[in-house]
Amino acid sequence: TLGNALFFLATVDKAKFRRQVVPGDKVKLIIKNIRVSGAMIKQSGKAYVGEEVAAEAEWLCLVQKREG
């Protein structure tokens, strides 16, 4: 399981910043798993302020099981 693991950001792709987010804005993140394995997880996500997309990207994290 990935519950007791460390995640290391390896890459960020297709990043687009569509609007500035300012203090006081409420940001909703929608994250989708594209691929999950014991060694890595690839996800995509969008950040919304209201109904407007503020940012979007895909990223890859390397997964390392936590010792102890």
Side-chain angles (χ1 to χ4, degrees):
T1 132
L2 299 175
N4 191 26
L6 296 172
F7 295 84
F8 299 94
L9 184 62
T11 65
V12 176
D13 297 308
K14 302 179 185 174
K16 295 180 182 173
F17 301 94
R18 304 200 177 274
R19 78 179 290 281
Q20 186 175 14
V21 177
V22 297
D25 283 348
K26 291 186 179 183
V27 179
K28 177 175 71 172
L29 300 173
I30 305 294
I31 309 296
K32 294 181 182 178
N33 290 334
I34 297 172
R35 193 174 20 203
V36 178
S37 74
M40 67 97 190
I41 183 168
K42 183 166 186 166
Q43 298 177 309
S44 66
K46 292 185 179 182
Y48 292 87
V49 174
E51 297 296 319
E52 190 177 356
V53 176
E56 59 187 294
E58 290 183 1
W59 56 91
L60 176 73
C61 289
L62 302 177
V63 179
Q64 181 179 3
K65 292 183 180 177
R66 196 178 286 189
E67 308 242 348

